[in-house]
Amino acid sequence: MMLPAEPELTLEQSDPPVREQLAPLLGDTVLSYSLANDQLIDRAAALIDASSKGRAFHQVLKLPAPQGAFAVVTQGESVYPSPENYQRFDNYARAIDAVDPALLAQSFHTFRPLLEQAYAALGYEADQLDNSLIRALDKVIAAPVLQAPALLEKDVTTWLYADESLESLSPLAKQLLRMGPENQAVVQAKARALRQALLEPPKP
């Protein structure tokens, strides 16, 4: 006697299995807070879309904000970001560095049908999800790296880069710059590793 096939997982039912699969991958890091969000597959699809367009991830996925305030240093009449700002992002870089790219790619393939469904709900062709994800990773990889703090100028209540080529960068690229060169190198290395893992044939 054949047992009836298990019903396919739906978006509405997907949060518990997604949390179950990703919890060991994220461990006890700041990224684990992302699993407290609801509609995780929908958020993941929106995150891929946003990142592929250069938007910052915190606009889609709720995570704890970096502790402390943005600090600057003054040298004569010139103002620069304080290098002390970088440590505000150390826990994010450590969390990203701890993620196994092969296992994350495997999770992507596991939930691909639902991710494609959620991506299509944003108004795109479902089969363009992969390309969007690769574009998102390429945005991270291509962000310029500053080996020294860049000159700032005040605009009413916020600081802007004095160099227009930096100020015109995408929010995602500027977020990476704010992490500092060492943390940024960690994030970009992980993006390269994940890109490679995603392009390999999924394991059966």
Side-chain angles (χ1 to χ4, degrees):
M1 177 180 177
M2 292 185 60
L3 296 175
E6 292 186 8
E8 291 188 3
L9 187 65
T10 66
L11 281 172
E12 292 74 19
Q13 302 167 332
S14 61
D15 278 350
V18 169
R19 291 191 183 103
E20 182 179 359
Q21 180 147 340
L22 293 185
L25 188 62
L26 302 183
D28 187 21
T29 70
V30 66
L31 293 182
S32 67
Y33 288 91
S34 64
L35 299 182
N37 289 267
D38 57 2
Q39 299 177 307
L40 289 167
I41 292 289
D42 295 283
R43 289 181 186 272
L47 174 63
I48 292 170
D49 176 45
S51 300
S52 72
K53 297 174 180 176
R55 289 165 51 196
F57 69 84
H58 62 76
Q59 296 171 316
V60 177
L61 197 64
K62 298 175 184 176
L63 286 172
Q67 295 184 350
F70 180 79
V72 298
V73 293
T74 301
Q75 297 179 4
E77 296 183 356
S78 300
V79 180
Y80 300 88
S82 171
E84 294 180 359
N85 291 317
Y86 303 154
Q87 66 188 22
R88 300 169 63 223
F89 299 95
D90 286 352
N91 58 341
Y92 294 91
R94 284 194 297 268
I96 291 171
D97 193 36
V99 173
D100 185 321
L103 292 179
L104 185 56
Q106 182 179 332
S107 296
F108 171 79
H109 293 306
T110 296
F111 295 107
R112 175 195 294 275
L114 292 181
L115 283 165
E116 289 181 341
Q117 183 180 336
Y119 187 70
L122 297 175
Y124 304 107
E125 295 293 331
D127 60 5
Q128 290 302 306
L129 173 68
D130 291 61
N131 291 335
S132 184
L133 178 52
I134 295 300
R135 281 197 305 273
L137 293 171
D138 286 343
K139 292 279 188 184
V140 173
I141 295 167
V145 180
L146 298 179
Q147 296 303 331
L151 182 66
L152 299 175
E153 57 185 19
K154 195 66 175 287
D155 179 32
V156 188
T157 60
T158 189
W159 291 102
L160 305 177
Y161 288 113
D163 185 337
E164 179 58 30
S165 67
L166 296 179
E167 185 55 37
S168 62
L169 291 171
S170 70
L172 177 60
K174 286 193 281 190
Q175 177 63 65
L176 289 166
L177 294 184
R178 284 193 288 271
M179 297 182 75
E182 293 184 4
N183 286 335
Q184 184 177 348
V186 169
V187 174
Q188 289 179 314
K190 190 63 63 172
R192 292 187 188 95
L194 178 57
R195 189 185 195 282
Q196 180 177 346
L198 287 165
L199 293 176
E200 294 176 354
K203 295 181 180 180

